[in-house]
Amino acid sequence: MRLTLTEFVTLDGVYQGPGGPEEDTDGGFAHGGWVVPFFEDTLGGFIHGVFGQADAFLFGRRTYDIFAQAWPKSTDPADPVARALNTLPKYVASRTLDRADWHHTTVLGGDVAAEVATLKQQPGRELQIHGSGALAQTLFDAGLIDLVRLIVFPVVLGSGTRLFAPGRTPSRFRLADLTSTPTGVSVQTLELAGAPEYGSMEVE
């Protein structure tokens, strides 16, 4: 399976608390729910398509807890997101979680990078990470993420936890697809393409 990351980010790279004011207030973050004014049918259709490509999911502890509280309550068989999340295998990376009650969930509590590398050897389409920014950065530095769907919202928050924070492994991507929505959200599909390349723009 390919390991893919789908992440909501602001123009200044913040991924913290996209879905609601109380979702993630770490560090006094007071801007939760910043995706809501921009969400509409075009973006919703894209998200549905992404979930339709999943054969398994991988979460960090915080994202898992948020999803596990909400999605088991959604039982509409016509909802592609709920159907995928509630029926497909799920893995949560945590050294503190003793058990996971959400159906088809396995806790990864050891060497997460090694365990995820093993999961990637299983047959299938995509092992998908949604949110889970801290876990995503760890796996990115380990060279395990194959594709990033970066969903960029036209808002600057000025504070909050950022994806690709300082210290990340220098990397280059190839743009595989680029779309936008009526509310100004850009959706970049990026495939890992190796190390950065450098040059010079000297004026002759």
Side-chain angles (χ1 to χ4, degrees), residues 8-33:
F8 295 163
V9 297
T10 67
L11 287 176
D12 52 342
V14 174
Y15 71 85
Q16 184 174 0
E22 304 304 321
E23 186 176 78
D24 182 356
T25 58
D26 279 3
F29 185 68
H31 302 290

Side-chain angles (χ1 to χ4, degrees), residues 7-10 14-25 29-39 43 62-63 66-67 70-71 130-132 151 153 155 157:
E7 195 77 60
F8 295 163
V9 297
T10 67
V14 174
Y15 71 85
Q16 184 174 0
E22 304 304 321
E23 186 176 78
D24 182 356
T25 58
F29 185 68
H31 302 290
W34 45 269
V35 307
V36 177
F38 301 99
F39 217 97
L43 181 56
R62 183 188 295 274
T63 301
I66 292 169
F67 277 34
W71 285 107
H130 291 267
S132 308
I151 304 174
F153 289 75
V155 60
L157 300 180

Side-chain angles (χ1 to χ4, degrees), residues 83-102:
R83 184 172 63 248
L85 285 171
N86 288 322
T87 61
L88 292 175
K90 292 168 286 292
Y91 301 91
V92 54
S94 174
R95 291 188 175 90
T96 59
L97 190 65
D98 295 325
R99 54 179 290 178
D101 295 328
W102 194 6

Side-chain angles (χ1 to χ4, degrees), residues 14-151:
V14 174
Y15 71 85
Q16 184 174 0
E22 304 304 321
E23 186 176 78
D24 182 356
T25 58
D26 279 3
F29 185 68
H31 302 290
W34 45 269
V35 307
V36 177
F38 301 99
F39 217 97
E40 43 68 62
D41 289 344
T42 301
L43 181 56
F46 175 81
I47 296 299
H48 288 173
V50 169
F51 276 84
Q53 299 178 60
D55 279 328
F57 297 100
L58 173 64
F59 300 112
R61 171 67 185 272
R62 183 188 295 274
T63 301
Y64 175 81
D65 285 345
I66 292 169
F67 277 34
Q69 290 174 14
W71 285 107
K73 301 173 185 175
S74 181
T75 57
D76 181 359
D79 183 335
V81 177
R83 184 172 63 248
L85 285 171
N86 288 322
T87 61
L88 292 175
K90 292 168 286 292
Y91 301 91
V92 54
S94 174
R95 291 188 175 90
T96 59
L97 190 65
D98 295 325
R99 54 179 290 178
D101 295 328
W102 194 6
H103 192 50
H104 291 316
T105 297
T106 301
V107 178
L108 306 179
D111 183 336
V112 172
E115 293 185 87
V116 171
T118 299
L119 289 174
K120 289 182 62 177
Q121 301 306 309
Q122 296 183 7
R125 295 170 299 170
E126 294 188 10
L127 172 60
Q128 293 187 354
I129 306 171
H130 291 267
S132 308
L135 172 64
Q137 292 180 65
T138 296
L139 298 177
F140 175 78
D141 286 340
L144 292 172
I145 294 180
D146 302 299
L147 181 142
V148 177
R149 296 183 181 98
L150 202 61
I151 304 174

Side-chain angles (χ1 to χ4, degrees), residues 185-204:
V185 177
S186 66
V187 181
Q188 305 172 34
T189 302
L190 304 160
E191 295 178 340
L192 193 64
E197 297 177 348
Y198 306 96
S200 175
M201 296 183 67
E202 293 181 1
V203 178
E204 296 183 359

